Coordinates of all heavy atoms in Angstrom, one line a residue:
M1 N -14.4 -223.1 51.2 CA -13.0 -223.2 51.5 C -12.1 -223.2 50.2 O -12.5 -224.0 49.4 CB -12.7 -224.3 52.4 CG -12.1 -224.0 53.7 SD -11.9 -225.4 54.8 CE -10.9 -226.5 53.9
S2 N -11.2 -222.4 50.2 CA -10.4 -222.5 49.0 C -9.3 -223.6 49.1 O -8.8 -223.8 50.2 CB -9.8 -221.1 48.7 OG -8.8 -220.9 49.6
V3 N -9.0 -224.2 48.0 CA -8.1 -225.3 47.9 C -6.7 -224.7 47.9 O -6.5 -223.7 47.1 CB -8.3 -226.2 46.7 CG1 -7.5 -227.4 46.8 CG2 -9.8 -226.5 46.6
P4 N -5.8 -225.2 48.6 CA -4.4 -224.6 48.5 C -3.9 -224.7 47.1 O -4.1 -225.8 46.5 CB -3.6 -225.4 49.5 CG -4.6 -226.1 50.4 CD -5.8 -226.2 49.6
A5 N -3.1 -223.7 46.7 CA -2.6 -223.7 45.4 C -1.5 -224.7 45.1 O -0.8 -225.0 46.2 CB -2.2 -222.3 45.0
T6 N -1.3 -225.1 44.0 CA -0.1 -225.9 43.6 C 0.9 -224.9 42.9 O 0.5 -224.1 42.1 CB -0.5 -226.9 42.7 OG1 -1.1 -228.0 43.4 CG2 0.7 -227.6 41.9
T7 N 2.1 -225.1 43.3 CA 3.2 -224.2 42.7 C 4.2 -225.1 42.1 O 4.5 -226.2 42.6 CB 3.9 -223.3 43.7 OG1 4.4 -224.0 44.7 CG2 2.8 -222.3 44.3
I8 N 4.7 -224.7 41.0 CA 5.9 -225.3 40.4 C 7.0 -224.4 40.3 O 6.9 -223.3 39.7 CB 5.5 -225.9 39.0 CG1 4.3 -226.8 39.0 CG2 6.7 -226.7 38.4 CD1 3.8 -227.3 37.7
T9 N 8.2 -224.7 40.9 CA 9.4 -223.9 40.7 C 10.2 -224.6 39.7 O 10.5 -225.8 39.7 CB 10.1 -223.8 42.0 OG1 9.3 -223.2 43.0 CG2 11.4 -223.0 41.9
F10 N 10.6 -223.8 38.6 CA 11.4 -224.2 37.6 C 12.8 -223.7 37.8 O 13.1 -222.5 38.0 CB 10.9 -223.7 36.2 CG 9.6 -224.3 35.8 CD1 8.4 -223.7 36.1 CD2 9.5 -225.5 35.1 CE1 7.2 -224.2 35.8 CE2 8.3 -226.0 34.7 CZ 7.1 -225.4 35.1
Q11 N 13.8 -224.6 37.8 CA 15.2 -224.3 37.9 C 15.9 -224.6 36.6 O 15.5 -225.5 35.9 CB 15.8 -225.0 39.0 CG 15.2 -224.8 40.4 CD 15.8 -225.6 41.5 OE1 16.2 -226.8 41.3 NE2 15.8 -225.1 42.7
F12 N 17.0 -223.9 36.3 CA 17.7 -224.1 35.1 C 19.2 -224.3 35.4 O 19.7 -223.8 36.4 CB 17.5 -222.9 34.2 CG 16.1 -222.5 34.0 CD1 15.4 -221.7 34.9 CD2 15.3 -223.2 33.0 CE1 14.0 -221.4 34.7 CE2 14.0 -222.8 32.8 CZ 13.3 -222.0 33.7
N13 N 19.8 -224.9 34.5 CA 21.3 -225.1 34.6 C 22.2 -224.1 33.9 O 23.4 -224.2 33.9 CB 21.7 -226.6 34.1 CG 21.1 -227.6 35.0 OD1 21.0 -227.4 36.3 ND2 20.8 -228.7 34.4
D14 N 21.5 -223.2 33.2 CA 22.3 -222.3 32.4 C 22.4 -220.9 32.9 O 22.7 -219.9 32.3 CB 21.6 -222.2 30.9 CG 20.2 -221.7 31.0 OD1 19.7 -221.3 32.1 OD2 19.6 -221.5 29.9
G15 N 22.1 -220.7 34.2 CA 22.3 -219.4 34.9 C 21.0 -218.6 34.9 O 20.9 -217.6 35.6
Q16 N 19.9 -219.0 34.2 CA 18.7 -218.3 34.3 C 18.2 -218.4 35.7 O 18.2 -219.5 36.4 CB 17.6 -219.0 33.5 CG 17.5 -218.7 32.0 CD 16.3 -219.5 31.4 OE1 15.2 -219.1 31.7 NE2 16.6 -220.5 30.7
P17 N 17.6 -217.3 36.3 CA 17.0 -217.4 37.7 C 15.8 -218.4 37.7 O 15.1 -218.5 36.7 CB 16.6 -216.0 37.9 CG 16.6 -215.3 36.7 CD 17.4 -216.0 35.7
A18 N 15.6 -219.0 38.8 CA 14.5 -219.9 39.0 C 13.2 -219.1 38.9 O 13.2 -217.9 39.2 CB 14.6 -220.6 40.3
Q19 N 12.1 -219.8 38.5 CA 10.8 -219.1 38.4 C 9.8 -220.0 39.1 O 9.8 -221.2 38.9 CB 10.4 -219.0 36.9 CG 11.3 -218.4 36.0 CD 10.7 -218.3 34.5 OE1 9.5 -218.5 34.4 NE2 11.6 -218.2 33.6
T20 N 8.9 -219.4 39.8 CA 7.8 -220.2 40.5 C 6.5 -219.8 39.9 O 6.2 -218.6 39.8 CB 7.8 -220.0 42.0 OG1 9.1 -220.4 42.5 CG2 6.7 -220.8 42.7
H21 N 5.7 -220.7 39.5 CA 4.4 -220.4 38.9 C 3.3 -221.3 39.6 O 3.5 -222.4 40.0 CB 4.4 -220.7 37.4 CG 5.4 -219.9 36.7 ND1 5.2 -218.5 36.5 CD2 6.6 -220.2 36.1 CE1 6.3 -218.0 35.8 NE2 7.1 -219.0 35.6
V22 N 2.1 -220.7 39.6 CA 0.9 -221.4 40.1 C 0.4 -222.3 39.0 O 0.3 -221.9 37.9 CB -0.1 -220.4 40.6 CG1 -1.4 -221.1 41.0 CG2 0.5 -219.6 41.8
A23 N 0.0 -223.5 39.4 CA -0.6 -224.5 38.4 C -2.0 -224.9 38.9 O -2.2 -225.0 40.1 CB 0.3 -225.7 38.4
A24 N -2.8 -225.0 37.9 CA -4.2 -225.5 38.2 C -4.3 -227.0 38.1 O -3.5 -227.6 37.4 CB -5.2 -224.9 37.2
S25 N -5.2 -227.6 38.9 CA -5.4 -229.1 38.8 C -5.6 -229.5 37.4 O -6.4 -228.8 36.7 CB -6.6 -229.5 39.7 OG -6.2 -229.4 41.0
G26 N -5.0 -230.6 37.0 CA -5.2 -231.1 35.6 C -4.2 -230.6 34.7 O -4.1 -231.1 33.5
E27 N -3.4 -229.6 35.0 CA -2.3 -229.1 34.2 C -1.1 -230.0 34.3 O -0.9 -230.4 35.5 CB -2.0 -227.6 34.5 CG -3.0 -226.6 34.0 CD -2.5 -225.2 34.2 OE1 -2.0 -224.8 35.3 OE2 -2.5 -224.4 33.2
S28 N -0.4 -230.1 33.3 CA 0.9 -230.8 33.4 C 2.0 -229.8 33.6 O 1.9 -228.6 33.3 CB 1.1 -231.6 32.1 OG 1.4 -230.8 31.0
V29 N 3.2 -230.3 34.0 CA 4.3 -229.5 34.2 C 4.7 -228.9 32.8 O 5.0 -227.7 32.8 CB 5.5 -230.3 34.7 CG1 6.8 -229.5 34.7 CG2 5.2 -230.7 36.2
L30 N 4.5 -229.6 31.7 CA 4.7 -229.1 30.4 C 3.8 -227.9 30.1 O 4.3 -226.8 29.7 CB 4.5 -230.1 29.3 CG 4.7 -229.7 27.9 CD1 6.1 -229.2 27.6 CD2 4.2 -230.8 26.9
D31 N 2.5 -228.0 30.4 CA 1.5 -226.9 30.2 C 1.9 -225.7 30.9 O 1.9 -224.6 30.4 CB 0.1 -227.3 30.8 CG -0.5 -228.5 30.1 OD1 -0.3 -228.6 28.9 OD2 -1.3 -229.1 30.7
V32 N 2.3 -225.8 32.2 CA 2.7 -224.7 33.0 C 3.9 -224.0 32.5 O 4.1 -222.8 32.4 CB 2.8 -225.1 34.5 CG1 3.3 -223.9 35.4 CG2 1.5 -225.7 35.0
A33 N 4.9 -224.9 32.1 CA 6.1 -224.3 31.5 C 5.8 -223.5 30.2 O 6.2 -222.3 30.1 CB 7.1 -225.4 31.1
L34 N 5.0 -224.1 29.3 CA 4.8 -223.4 28.1 C 3.9 -222.1 28.3 O 4.1 -221.1 27.6 CB 4.1 -224.3 27.0 CG 4.9 -225.6 26.7 CD1 4.1 -226.4 25.7 CD2 6.3 -225.1 26.1
N35 N 2.9 -222.2 29.2 CA 2.1 -221.1 29.5 C 2.9 -219.9 30.1 O 2.4 -218.8 30.0 CB 1.0 -221.4 30.5 CG -0.1 -222.3 29.8 OD1 -0.1 -222.4 28.6 ND2 -0.8 -223.0 30.7
N36 N 4.1 -220.2 30.6 CA 4.9 -219.1 31.2 C 6.1 -218.8 30.4 O 7.1 -218.2 30.9 CB 5.2 -219.5 32.6 CG 4.0 -219.5 33.5 OD1 3.4 -218.4 33.8 ND2 3.4 -220.6 33.9
G37 N 6.1 -219.2 29.1 CA 7.2 -218.9 28.3 C 8.5 -219.6 28.5 O 9.6 -219.1 28.1
I38 N 8.4 -220.7 29.2 CA 9.7 -221.5 29.5 C 9.9 -222.4 28.4 O 8.9 -223.2 28.0 CB 9.6 -222.3 30.8 CG1 9.5 -221.2 32.0 CG2 10.7 -223.3 31.0 CD1 9.1 -221.8 33.3
Q39 N 11.1 -222.4 27.8 CA 11.3 -223.3 26.7 C 11.5 -224.7 27.1 O 12.4 -225.0 27.9 CB 12.6 -222.8 25.9 CG 12.3 -221.5 25.2 CD 13.4 -221.3 24.2 OE1 14.6 -221.7 24.4 NE2 13.0 -220.6 23.1
L40 N 10.6 -225.6 26.7 CA 10.7 -227.0 27.0 C 10.2 -227.7 25.8 O 9.0 -227.5 25.3 CB 9.9 -227.3 28.2 CG 9.9 -228.8 28.7 CD1 11.4 -229.3 28.9 CD2 9.2 -228.9 30.0
Q41 N 11.1 -228.5 25.2 CA 10.7 -229.2 23.9 C 9.6 -230.2 24.2 O 9.4 -230.8 25.3 CB 11.9 -229.9 23.3 CG 12.8 -228.9 22.8 CD 13.9 -229.5 21.9 OE1 13.7 -229.9 20.8 NE2 15.1 -229.7 22.5
H42 N 8.8 -230.4 23.1 CA 7.6 -231.3 23.3 C 7.3 -231.8 21.9 O 6.2 -231.6 21.4 CB 6.4 -230.6 24.0 CG 6.1 -229.3 23.3 ND1 6.9 -228.1 23.6 CD2 5.2 -228.9 22.4 CE1 6.4 -227.1 22.9 NE2 5.4 -227.6 22.2
N43 N 8.2 -232.6 21.4 CA 8.1 -233.0 19.9 C 6.8 -233.8 19.6 O 6.3 -233.7 18.5 CB 9.3 -233.8 19.5 CG 10.6 -232.9 19.4 OD1 10.5 -231.7 19.7 ND2 11.7 -233.5 19.1
C44 N 6.3 -234.6 20.6 CA 5.1 -235.4 20.3 C 3.9 -234.7 20.6 O 2.8 -235.2 20.5 CB 5.2 -236.7 21.0 SG 4.9 -236.6 22.8
G45 N 4.0 -233.5 21.2 CA 2.7 -232.7 21.5 C 2.2 -233.0 22.8 O 1.1 -232.7 23.2
G46 N 3.0 -233.8 23.6 CA 2.5 -234.0 25.0 C 1.7 -235.3 25.2 O 0.9 -235.3 26.1
V47 N 2.0 -236.3 24.4 CA 1.3 -237.6 24.5 C 2.1 -238.8 24.9 O 1.8 -239.9 24.5 CB 0.4 -237.8 23.2 CG1 -0.6 -236.7 23.0 CG2 1.4 -237.9 22.0
C48 N 3.2 -238.5 25.5 CA 4.1 -239.5 26.0 C 4.6 -240.4 24.8 O 4.6 -241.6 24.8 CB 3.4 -240.5 27.0 SG 4.6 -241.5 27.9
G49 N 5.0 -239.7 23.7 CA 5.5 -240.3 22.5 C 6.9 -239.9 22.1 O 7.3 -240.2 21.0
C50 N 7.6 -239.2 23.0 CA 9.0 -238.8 22.8 C 9.7 -238.7 24.1 O 9.1 -239.1 25.1 CB 9.0 -237.5 22.0 SG 8.5 -236.1 22.9
S51 N 10.9 -238.2 24.1 CA 11.6 -238.0 25.3 C 12.0 -236.5 25.5 O 12.8 -236.2 26.3 CB 12.7 -239.0 25.5 OG 13.6 -238.9 24.4
T52 N 11.5 -235.7 24.6 CA 12.1 -234.3 24.6 C 11.6 -233.4 25.8 O 12.2 -232.4 26.0 CB 11.8 -233.6 23.3 OG1 10.4 -233.6 23.1 CG2 12.4 -234.3 22.1
C53 N 10.5 -233.8 26.4 CA 10.0 -233.0 27.5 C 10.6 -233.4 28.9 O 10.1 -233.1 29.9 CB 8.5 -233.0 27.6 SG 7.9 -234.6 28.0
H54 N 11.7 -234.2 28.8 CA 12.4 -234.7 30.0 C 12.8 -233.6 31.0 O 13.4 -232.6 30.6 CB 13.6 -235.5 29.5 CG 14.5 -235.9 30.5 ND1 15.9 -235.9 30.4 CD2 14.3 -236.5 31.7 CE1 16.5 -236.4 31.5 NE2 15.5 -236.8 32.3
V55 N 12.4 -233.8 32.2 CA 12.8 -232.9 33.3 C 13.2 -233.7 34.5 O 13.0 -234.9 34.6 CB 11.7 -231.9 33.7 CG1 11.4 -231.0 32.6 CG2 10.5 -232.7 34.2
Y56 N 13.8 -233.1 35.5 CA 14.1 -233.7 36.8 C 13.2 -233.1 37.8 O 13.1 -231.9 37.9 CB 15.6 -233.5 37.2 CG 16.6 -233.9 36.1 CD1 17.3 -233.0 35.4 CD2 16.8 -235.3 35.9 CE1 18.2 -233.5 34.4 CE2 17.7 -235.7 34.9 CZ 18.4 -234.8 34.2 OH 19.3 -235.2 33.2
I57 N 12.6 -234.0 38.6 CA 11.7 -233.6 39.7 C 12.6 -233.6 41.0 O 12.9 -234.7 41.5 CB 10.5 -234.5 39.8 CG1 9.8 -234.7 38.5 CG2 9.6 -233.9 40.9 CD1 9.1 -233.5 37.9
N58 N 12.9 -232.4 41.5 CA 13.7 -232.4 42.7 C 12.9 -232.4 44.0 O 13.5 -232.8 45.1 CB 14.5 -231.1 42.7 CG 15.3 -231.0 41.4 OD1 15.9 -232.0 41.1 ND2 15.3 -229.8 40.8
A59 N 11.7 -232.0 44.0 CA 10.8 -232.1 45.2 C 9.4 -232.2 44.7 O 9.0 -231.7 43.7 CB 11.0 -230.8 46.0
G60 N 8.6 -232.9 45.5 CA 7.2 -233.1 45.2 C 6.9 -234.3 44.3 O 5.7 -234.6 44.0
G61 N 7.9 -235.0 43.9 CA 7.7 -236.1 42.9 C 6.7 -237.2 43.4 O 6.1 -237.8 42.7
D62 N 6.7 -237.4 44.8 CA 5.9 -238.5 45.3 C 4.4 -238.3 45.1 O 3.6 -239.1 45.1 CB 6.2 -238.7 46.8 CG 7.6 -239.2 47.0 OD1 8.2 -239.7 46.0 OD2 8.0 -239.2 48.2
D63 N 4.1 -237.0 44.9 CA 2.7 -236.6 44.7 C 2.2 -236.8 43.3 O 1.0 -236.7 43.0 CB 2.4 -235.2 45.2 CG 2.6 -235.0 46.6 OD1 2.5 -235.9 47.4 OD2 3.0 -233.8 47.0
L64 N 3.1 -237.0 42.4 CA 2.8 -237.0 41.0 C 2.2 -238.4 40.6 O 2.4 -239.4 41.4 CB 4.0 -236.8 40.1 CG 4.5 -235.3 40.1 CD1 5.8 -235.2 39.5 CD2 3.4 -234.4 39.4
P65 N 1.4 -238.5 39.5 CA 1.0 -239.8 39.1 C 2.1 -240.7 38.9 O 3.2 -240.3 38.5 CB 0.3 -239.5 37.7 CG 0.2 -238.0 37.6 CD 1.1 -237.4 38.6
E66 N 1.9 -242.0 39.1 CA 2.9 -243.0 39.0 C 3.4 -243.0 37.5 O 2.7 -242.8 36.6 CB 2.4 -244.4 39.3 CG 2.3 -244.5 40.7 CD 2.7 -245.9 41.3 OE1 3.1 -246.7 40.5 OE2 2.5 -246.1 42.5
I67 N 4.7 -243.3 37.4 CA 5.3 -243.4 36.1 C 4.8 -244.7 35.4 O 4.7 -245.7 36.0 CB 6.8 -243.4 36.3 CG1 7.6 -243.1 35.1 CG2 7.3 -244.6 36.9 CD1 9.0 -242.6 35.5
S68 N 4.4 -244.5 34.1 CA 3.9 -245.7 33.4 C 5.1 -246.4 32.7 O 6.2 -245.8 32.6 CB 2.9 -245.2 32.3 OG 3.6 -244.5 31.3
D69 N 4.9 -247.6 32.2 CA 6.0 -248.4 31.5 C 6.4 -247.5 30.3 O 7.6 -247.5 30.0 CB 5.5 -249.7 31.1 CG 5.3 -250.6 32.3 OD1 5.8 -250.3 33.4 OD2 4.7 -251.7 32.1
K70 N 5.4 -247.0 29.6 CA 5.7 -246.3 28.4 C 6.6 -245.0 28.7 O 7.6 -244.8 28.0 CB 4.4 -245.8 27.7 CG 4.5 -245.3 26.3 CD 3.1 -245.1 25.7 CE 3.3 -244.4 24.4 NZ 2.0 -243.8 24.0
E71 N 6.2 -244.3 29.8 CA 7.1 -243.1 30.1 C 8.4 -243.6 30.5 O 9.4 -242.9 30.1 CB 6.4 -242.4 31.3 CG 7.2 -241.2 31.7 CD 6.6 -240.4 32.9 OE1 5.4 -240.7 33.3 OE2 7.2 -239.5 33.4
E72 N 8.6 -244.7 31.2 CA 9.9 -245.2 31.5 C 10.7 -245.5 30.4 O 11.9 -245.2 30.3 CB 9.7 -246.5 32.4 CG 10.7 -246.5 33.5 CD 10.2 -247.4 34.7 OE1 10.0 -248.6 34.5 OE2 10.0 -246.8 35.8
D73 N 10.1 -246.1 29.4 CA 10.8 -246.4 28.2 C 11.4 -245.2 27.5 O 12.5 -245.2 27.0 CB 9.9 -247.1 27.1 CG 9.6 -248.6 27.4 OD1 10.4 -249.1 28.3 OD2 8.8 -249.2 26.8
F74 N 10.6 -244.1 27.5 CA 11.0 -242.9 26.8 C 12.1 -242.2 27.6 O 13.1 -241.6 27.0 CB 9.9 -242.0 26.5 CG 9.2 -242.3 25.2 CD1 7.9 -242.9 25.3 CD2 9.8 -242.3 24.0 CE1 7.2 -243.3 24.1 CE2 9.1 -242.7 22.8 CZ 7.8 -243.2 22.9
I75 N 12.0 -242.3 29.0 CA 13.0 -241.7 29.8 C 14.3 -242.4 29.5 O 15.4 -241.7 29.5 CB 12.6 -241.8 31.2 CG1 11.5 -240.7 31.5 CG2 13.8 -241.5 32.2 CD1 10.8 -240.8 32.9
D76 N 14.3 -243.7 29.3 CA 15.6 -244.4 29.1 C 16.3 -243.8 27.8 O 17.5 -243.9 27.7 CB 15.3 -245.9 28.8 CG 15.0 -246.6 30.1 OD1 15.3 -246.1 31.2 OD2 14.5 -247.7 30.0
R77 N 15.5 -243.3 26.9 CA 16.1 -242.7 25.7 C 16.5 -241.2 25.8 O 17.0 -240.6 24.9 CB 15.1 -242.9 24.5 CG 14.9 -244.3 24.2 CD 13.9 -244.4 23.1 NE 12.9 -245.4 23.3 CZ 11.8 -245.6 22.5 NH1 11.6 -244.9 21.5 NH2 10.9 -246.5 22.9
A78 N 16.1 -240.6 26.9 CA 16.4 -239.2 27.1 C 17.9 -239.0 27.4 O 18.6 -240.0 27.7 CB 15.6 -238.6 28.3
E79 N 18.3 -237.8 27.3 CA 19.7 -237.5 27.6 C 19.9 -237.4 29.1 O 19.1 -236.8 29.9 CB 20.0 -236.1 27.1 CG 21.5 -235.9 26.6 CD 21.7 -234.5 26.0 OE1 20.9 -234.3 25.0 OE2 22.5 -233.8 26.4
N80 N 20.9 -238.1 29.7 CA 21.2 -238.2 31.1 C 20.0 -238.4 32.0 O 19.7 -237.7 32.9 CB 21.8 -236.8 31.5 CG 23.1 -236.5 30.9 OD1 23.9 -237.4 30.6 ND2 23.3 -235.2 30.5
P81 N 19.4 -239.6 31.8 CA 18.3 -239.9 32.7 C 18.8 -240.2 34.1 O 19.9 -240.7 34.3 CB 17.7 -241.2 32.1 CG 18.7 -241.7 31.2 CD 19.6 -240.6 30.8
R82 N 18.0 -239.8 35.0 CA 18.4 -240.0 36.5 C 17.2 -240.6 37.2 O 16.1 -240.6 36.6 CB 18.7 -238.7 37.2 CG 20.0 -238.0 36.6 CD 20.4 -236.8 37.4 NE 21.2 -235.9 36.6 CZ 21.1 -234.6 36.6 NH1 20.3 -234.0 37.4 NH2 21.9 -233.9 35.8
I83 N 17.4 -240.9 38.5 CA 16.4 -241.6 39.2 C 15.1 -240.6 39.3 O 14.0 -241.1 39.4 CB 16.9 -242.0 40.6 CG1 16.0 -242.9 41.3 CG2 17.3 -240.8 41.4 CD1 16.1 -244.3 40.9
N84 N 15.4 -239.3 39.3 CA 14.2 -238.4 39.4 C 13.8 -237.9 38.1 O 13.1 -236.8 38.0 CB 14.6 -237.3 40.4 CG 15.7 -236.4 39.9 OD1 16.5 -236.9 39.1 ND2 15.9 -235.2 40.4
S85 N 14.1 -238.5 37.0 CA 13.7 -238.1 35.7 C 12.2 -238.3 35.5 O 11.6 -239.4 35.9 CB 14.4 -238.9 34.6 OG 15.7 -238.5 34.5
R86 N 11.5 -237.5 34.8 CA 10.1 -237.6 34.4 C 9.9 -237.0 33.0 O 10.7 -236.1 32.7 CB 9.1 -237.0 35.4 CG 9.0 -237.6 36.8 CD 8.4 -239.0 36.8 NE 7.2 -239.2 36.2 CZ 6.0 -239.4 36.8 NH1 6.0 -239.4 38.1 NH2 4.9 -239.6 36.1
L87 N 8.8 -237.3 32.4 CA 8.4 -236.5 31.2 C 7.4 -235.5 31.7 O 6.4 -235.8 32.3 CB 7.8 -237.5 30.2 CG 8.8 -238.6 29.6 CD1 8.0 -239.4 28.7 CD2 10.0 -237.9 29.0
A88 N 7.7 -234.2 31.4 CA 6.9 -233.2 31.9 C 5.4 -233.3 31.5 O 4.5 -232.8 32.3 CB 7.5 -231.8 31.5
C89 N 5.2 -233.8 30.3 CA 3.8 -233.8 29.9 C 2.9 -234.9 30.6 O 1.7 -234.9 30.6 CB 3.7 -234.1 28.4 SG 4.2 -235.7 27.9
Q90 N 3.7 -235.8 31.3 CA 3.0 -236.9 32.1 C 2.9 -236.5 33.5 O 2.3 -237.2 34.3 CB 3.7 -238.2 31.9 CG 3.8 -238.6 30.5 CD 2.4 -238.8 29.8 OE1 1.6 -239.5 30.3 NE2 2.2 -237.9 28.8
C91 N 3.4 -235.4 33.9 CA 3.4 -234.9 35.3 C 2.2 -234.0 35.5 O 2.3 -232.8 35.5 CB 4.6 -234.2 35.7 SG 6.1 -235.3 35.7
V92 N 1.0 -234.6 35.7 CA -0.2 -233.8 35.8 C -0.4 -233.5 37.3 O -0.4 -234.4 38.1 CB -1.4 -234.6 35.2 CG1 -2.7 -233.8 35.4 CG2 -1.2 -234.8 33.7
V93 N -0.7 -232.3 37.7 CA -0.7 -231.9 39.1 C -2.2 -231.9 39.6 O -3.1 -231.8 38.8 CB 0.0 -230.6 39.3 CG1 1.4 -230.6 38.8 CG2 -0.8 -229.4 38.7
E94 N -2.3 -232.0 40.9 CA -3.5 -231.7 41.6 C -3.3 -230.6 42.5 O -2.2 -230.0 42.5 CB -3.8 -233.0 42.4 CG -4.2 -234.2 41.5 CD -4.3 -235.5 42.3 OE1 -4.6 -235.4 43.5 OE2 -4.1 -236.5 41.8
A95 N -4.3 -230.3 43.3 CA -4.2 -229.1 44.2 C -3.2 -229.4 45.3 O -2.9 -230.6 45.6 CB -5.6 -228.8 44.8
D96 N -2.7 -228.4 45.8 CA -1.8 -228.5 47.0 C -0.6 -229.3 46.8 O -0.3 -230.2 47.6 CB -2.6 -229.0 48.2 CG -1.9 -228.8 49.5 OD1 -1.0 -228.0 49.5 OD2 -2.3 -229.4 50.5
M97 N 0.1 -229.0 45.8 CA 1.4 -229.7 45.5 C 2.5 -228.6 45.4 O 2.2 -227.6 44.8 CB 1.4 -230.5 44.2 CG 0.5 -231.8 44.5 SD 0.1 -232.7 42.9 CE 1.8 -233.0 42.3
Q98 N 3.7 -228.9 45.8 CA 4.8 -227.9 45.7 C 5.9 -228.7 45.0 O 6.6 -229.5 45.6 CB 5.3 -227.4 47.0 CG 4.5 -226.3 47.6 CD 3.1 -226.7 48.1 OE1 3.0 -227.7 48.8 NE2 2.0 -226.0 47.6
L99 N 6.0 -228.4 43.7 CA 7.0 -229.1 42.9 C 8.3 -228.3 42.6 O 8.1 -227.0 42.5 CB 6.4 -229.6 41.5 CG 5.4 -230.6 41.5 CD1 4.9 -230.8 40.1 CD2 5.8 -231.9 42.1
V100 N 9.4 -228.9 42.6 CA 10.6 -228.2 42.2 C 11.2 -229.0 41.0 O 11.4 -230.2 41.2 CB 11.6 -228.0 43.3 CG1 12.8 -227.3 42.8 CG2 11.0 -227.3 44.5
V101 N 11.4 -228.4 39.9 CA 11.7 -229.1 38.7 C 12.9 -228.4 38.1 O 13.1 -227.2 38.0 CB 10.5 -228.9 37.7 CG1 10.8 -229.5 36.3 CG2 9.2 -229.5 38.2
T102 N 13.9 -229.3 37.6 CA 15.0 -228.7 36.9 C 14.8 -229.0 35.4 O 14.5 -230.2 35.0 CB 16.3 -229.4 37.3 OG1 16.6 -229.0 38.7 CG2 17.5 -228.8 36.4
V103 N 14.9 -228.0 34.6 CA 14.7 -228.1 33.1 C 16.1 -228.3 32.6 O 17.0 -227.4 32.7 CB 14.1 -226.8 32.5 CG1 14.0 -227.0 31.0 CG2 12.7 -226.6 33.2
P104 N 16.4 -229.5 32.0 CA 17.7 -229.7 31.4 C 18.0 -228.7 30.2 O 17.1 -228.1 29.7 CB 17.8 -231.2 30.9 CG 16.4 -231.7 31.2 CD 15.5 -230.5 31.7
P105 N 19.3 -228.6 29.8 CA 19.6 -227.7 28.7 C 18.8 -228.2 27.5 O 18.7 -229.4 27.2 CB 21.1 -227.9 28.4 CG 21.6 -228.5 29.7 CD 20.5 -229.2 30.4
Q106 N 18.2 -227.2 26.8 CA 17.4 -227.5 25.6 C 18.2 -227.4 24.3 O 18.8 -226.3 24.2 CB 16.1 -226.6 25.6 CG 15.3 -226.7 26.8 CD 14.5 -227.9 26.9 OE1 13.7 -228.3 26.1 NE2 14.8 -228.7 27.9
H107 N 18.2 -228.4 23.5 CA 18.9 -228.3 22.2 C 17.9 -228.0 21.1 O 17.2 -228.9 20.8 CB 19.7 -229.5 21.9 CG 20.5 -230.0 23.1 ND1 21.6 -229.3 23.5 CD2 20.4 -231.0 24.0 CE1 22.2 -229.9 24.6 NE2 21.5 -230.9 24.9
F108 N 17.9 -226.8 20.6 CA 17.0 -226.5 19.5 C 17.8 -226.6 18.2 O 18.9 -226.0 18.1 CB 16.4 -225.2 19.7 CG 15.3 -225.2 20.8 CD1 15.7 -224.8 22.1 CD2 14.1 -225.6 20.5 CE1 14.8 -224.9 23.1 CE2 13.1 -225.6 21.6 CZ 13.5 -225.3 22.8
L109 N 17.2 -227.3 17.2 CA 17.9 -227.4 15.9 C 18.0 -225.9 15.4 O 17.1 -225.1 15.5 CB 17.0 -228.2 15.0 CG 17.0 -229.7 15.3 CD1 16.0 -230.4 14.3 CD2 18.3 -230.3 15.2
G110 N 19.2 -225.7 14.8 CA 19.4 -224.4 14.2 C 20.0 -223.4 15.2 O 20.3 -222.3 14.8
H111 N 20.2 -223.8 16.4 CA 20.8 -223.0 17.4 C 22.3 -223.3 17.6 O 22.6 -224.4 17.5 CB 20.1 -223.0 18.8 CG 18.8 -222.3 18.8 ND1 18.5 -221.4 19.8 CD2 17.8 -222.2 18.0 CE1 17.3 -220.8 19.5 NE2 16.9 -221.3 18.4
Ligands
FES1 S1 6.1 -234.1 24.9 FE1 6.6 -236.0 24.1 S2 6.6 -237.2 25.8 FE2 6.2 -235.3 26.6

């Protein structure tokens, strides 16, 4: 029996159309974004050591791994943290999840 796929829908605030991508178990929201050419900063390389991969989880957040104290600390330092804020590198998915994620505006140095 095949396991139902996990999908992640990425939404943007800058007018880009939303994109939905299939994710494999063990991939993080950050992995799926980067694999699909979605710009999402990740200054620490995805080890819960910064707050640049901050996203908002609009749906499916209850299925994600619980937020750690460390992740919470970094979210506090992110821009406009909200109740549904997460660090994308810490949102590792399993099978059969349907996530909807908003990617906040990305500020790239030099832009
Ligand atoms: S990339 Fe640094 S915390 Fe996610």
